[in-house]
Amino acid sequence: MSRKKPNLLFVFPDQWRRQAVGYRKEDEVITPHIDRFAQESLIMNNAISCFPLCSPNRSVMLTGRYPLSTGVTTNCKLGLPVKMNDDELTIGNILKKEGYQTGYIGKWHLDLPEQSAVEEPESGARHWDAYIPSGPRRFGFDFWYSYNAYDQHLRPHYWRDTPQMIEPNEWSTKHETDVAIEFIRNRNQEQPFCLYVSWNPPHQPFEQVPDTYKQMYADKPVSYRPNVQGKGLAQAEQHLRNYYAAVSATDDQFARLLQALEDEGLSDDTIVVLTSDHGEMMGSHGWLEHKNIWYEESIGVPCFIRYPGHVATGTEECLFNSSDLVPTLLGLMDIPAPAQVQGSNLSSLLRGEGGDRPSSTFICHYPGAIGEHEQARAQGLDINAYGWRGVRTNRYTYVAKRNFGDETVVRMCYDNENDPYQMNPVKLESAPLEGPEVELEQELKAWLEQLRDPFSLE
């Protein structure tokens, strides 16, 4: 007799960095519920966002394929024809075919803004936002309570199955949790469910968080990471308390979701994943309100997977890229991944059965500035041959960078063991001839060839 199919609840706040969890004792943030959940879960201690930017990494998290393959090489925004390829298969498509009820709640950011085509869309969507009608562009998610991109956390809006905008006038994370709980309570009990909950906070505007949570940090002294220096201090001083407040508020809403599973008797039959699409620099290395960079504060995300009796608890140091989420979750569900999936199925490691551990994982950035895209088109250049590419191993971060308009490749190698704040990289103007960088260069070259990436190390 076949095993009962597990439910999947996948929760991912936007821009939540690995350091911002209480039990880690790094960021001074209060997260009692997530701390407790971590004890019940397998903590993926080396969870990596392969492209630390909203749209590209969301496409990776849903398909198990890298940004160059999904077509999402920068944020979906006005001025660029960037959206997820029509023929992509997401975990929504796959699980729907397997008989799952599928739902997606919150930020989507995988499609063209409606104003790319129509100046005054019927839905009222503006700037990067869009209502996506029922059909193939929802990629298998039947219940869709969402928006494309809209950063007003205290005055959010959504669409369901008509262009009629829904404006609940309450904090987005709380409202989306209410909708998710209703989905769980009103599910068809004859079917398993797959529900993705995509909260926008702690993404900026950082100050848009309920005052109750701001008060938790109002009088607390705040310390800064050692790599927050110079101009980075201005951002850290301005935003850190609000960022922590948003994470603590998220902690309370996550507890409500777990309680809903408990109330429905679903805790043992549900795979719960809590992670993020990317981190946040918060002033480290002088980066202001930015995440699209290779440092740990940006590529490092929290990642907890709970599946009682099937997934081990404790801490797993295996490299776990966002591209590995789909094949690994399908592996835990005993569902084969489609052939086009590029990530690794690490489910045997999660079950505690051992298995091969990746020697490196791929990280990347493709240029997203509209002016650069236009210039590349005019000059007949491939814009995707620029930006930066890298590998992260258990010890090192190795990055090669070529800015658009400049053909020189600069390489940087960070020893994260001896330099955990990444303040003293080895910089190379040409291919390495000695040291660990030689092997890292080969790892990066192998990834570029495997993914048919036009970036050249020559």
Side-chain angles (χ1 to χ4, degrees), residues 39 41 105 149 182 195-196 249 277 281 319:
Q39 292 178 344
S41 308
I105 296 167
E182 283 304 301
L195 178 61
Y196 273 61
D277 54 350
M281 293 302 292
L319 295 164

mmCIF file of all heavy atoms in Angstrom, residues 39 41 105 149 182 195-196 249 277 281 319:
data_model
loop_
_atom_site.group_PDB
_atom_site.id
_atom_site.type_symbol
_atom_site.label_atom_id
_atom_site.label_comp_id
_atom_site.label_asym_id
_atom_site.label_seq_id
_atom_site.Cartn_x
_atom_site.Cartn_y
_atom_site.Cartn_z
ATOM 1 N N GLN A 39 14.251 23.758 16.259
ATOM 2 C CA GLN A 39 14.584 22.558 17.042
ATOM 3 C C GLN A 39 13.831 21.324 16.543
ATOM 4 O O GLN A 39 14.283 20.195 16.722
ATOM 5 C CB GLN A 39 14.263 22.788 18.522
ATOM 6 C CG GLN A 39 15.165 23.813 19.176
ATOM 7 C CD GLN A 39 14.783 24.063 20.633
ATOM 8 O OE1 GLN A 39 13.693 23.715 21.081
ATOM 9 N NE2 GLN A 39 15.703 24.647 21.387
ATOM 10 N N SER A 41 13.138 20.840 13.359
ATOM 11 C CA SER A 41 13.396 20.769 11.924
ATOM 12 C C SER A 41 14.834 20.368 11.642
ATOM 13 O O SER A 41 15.667 20.290 12.556
ATOM 14 C CB SER A 41 13.151 22.148 11.286
ATOM 15 O OG SER A 41 11.895 22.661 11.629
ATOM 16 N N ILE A 105 -0.056 32.470 -2.190
ATOM 17 C CA ILE A 105 -0.551 33.673 -1.519
ATOM 18 C C ILE A 105 0.607 34.657 -1.365
ATOM 19 O O ILE A 105 1.681 34.282 -0.885
ATOM 20 C CB ILE A 105 -1.120 33.317 -0.125
ATOM 21 C CG1 ILE A 105 -2.342 32.392 -0.266
ATOM 22 C CG2 ILE A 105 -1.478 34.574 0.672
ATOM 23 C CD1 ILE A 105 -2.776 31.747 1.041
ATOM 24 N N ALA A 149 4.216 42.823 -7.844
ATOM 25 C CA ALA A 149 5.207 43.516 -7.003
ATOM 26 C C ALA A 149 4.603 44.840 -6.551
ATOM 27 O O ALA A 149 4.237 45.676 -7.386
ATOM 28 C CB ALA A 149 6.494 43.772 -7.779
ATOM 29 N N GLU A 182 -7.321 30.095 6.255
ATOM 30 C CA GLU A 182 -8.613 29.738 5.644
ATOM 31 C C GLU A 182 -8.431 28.661 4.575
ATOM 32 O O GLU A 182 -9.239 27.736 4.460
ATOM 33 C CB GLU A 182 -9.274 30.987 5.040
ATOM 34 C CG GLU A 182 -9.919 31.904 6.070
ATOM 35 C CD GLU A 182 -10.955 31.189 6.928
ATOM 36 O OE1 GLU A 182 -11.940 30.658 6.356
ATOM 37 O OE2 GLU A 182 -10.780 31.125 8.163
ATOM 38 N N LEU A 195 0.803 24.570 -0.556
ATOM 39 C CA LEU A 195 0.515 25.993 -0.361
ATOM 40 C C LEU A 195 1.820 26.771 -0.192
ATOM 41 O O LEU A 195 2.623 26.471 0.696
ATOM 42 C CB LEU A 195 -0.362 26.199 0.879
ATOM 43 C CG LEU A 195 -0.693 27.655 1.229
ATOM 44 C CD1 LEU A 195 -1.469 28.335 0.095
ATOM 45 C CD2 LEU A 195 -1.492 27.737 2.531
ATOM 46 N N TYR A 196 2.015 27.754 -1.076
ATOM 47 C CA TYR A 196 3.168 28.664 -0.982
ATOM 48 C C TYR A 196 2.683 29.995 -0.419
ATOM 49 O O TYR A 196 1.707 30.566 -0.920
ATOM 50 C CB TYR A 196 3.806 28.872 -2.356
ATOM 51 C CG TYR A 196 4.844 27.815 -2.676
ATOM 52 C CD1 TYR A 196 4.497 26.471 -2.757
ATOM 53 C CD2 TYR A 196 6.186 28.153 -2.869
ATOM 54 C CE1 TYR A 196 5.446 25.497 -3.020
ATOM 55 C CE2 TYR A 196 7.145 27.189 -3.134
ATOM 56 C CZ TYR A 196 6.770 25.857 -3.209
ATOM 57 O OH TYR A 196 7.727 24.897 -3.455
ATOM 58 N N ALA A 249 7.683 40.305 13.940
ATOM 59 C CA ALA A 249 6.271 40.271 13.568
ATOM 60 C C ALA A 249 5.993 39.039 12.699
ATOM 61 O O ALA A 249 4.961 38.361 12.848
ATOM 62 C CB ALA A 249 5.903 41.551 12.813
ATOM 63 N N ASP A 277 13.923 34.239 -0.163
ATOM 64 C CA ASP A 277 14.477 34.287 -1.523
ATOM 65 C C ASP A 277 15.896 34.844 -1.543
ATOM 66 O O ASP A 277 16.665 34.550 -2.453
ATOM 67 C CB ASP A 277 13.547 35.065 -2.480
ATOM 68 C CG ASP A 277 13.194 36.454 -1.991
ATOM 69 O OD1 ASP A 277 13.491 36.785 -0.839
ATOM 70 O OD2 ASP A 277 12.594 37.218 -2.772
ATOM 71 N N MET A 281 21.862 43.144 3.036
ATOM 72 C CA MET A 281 23.193 43.582 3.477
ATOM 73 C C MET A 281 23.143 44.451 4.735
ATOM 74 O O MET A 281 24.017 44.378 5.585
ATOM 75 C CB MET A 281 23.883 44.357 2.351
ATOM 76 C CG MET A 281 24.227 43.497 1.144
ATOM 77 S SD MET A 281 25.296 42.095 1.543
ATOM 78 C CE MET A 281 26.809 42.948 1.970
ATOM 79 N N LEU A 319 25.886 22.023 1.362
ATOM 80 C CA LEU A 319 25.495 23.155 0.529
ATOM 81 C C LEU A 319 24.105 22.891 -0.047
ATOM 82 O O LEU A 319 23.842 21.808 -0.576
ATOM 83 C CB LEU A 319 26.495 23.343 -0.617
ATOM 84 C CG LEU A 319 27.910 23.728 -0.204
ATOM 85 C CD1 LEU A 319 28.877 23.505 -1.363
ATOM 86 C CD2 LEU A 319 27.973 25.172 0.274
#
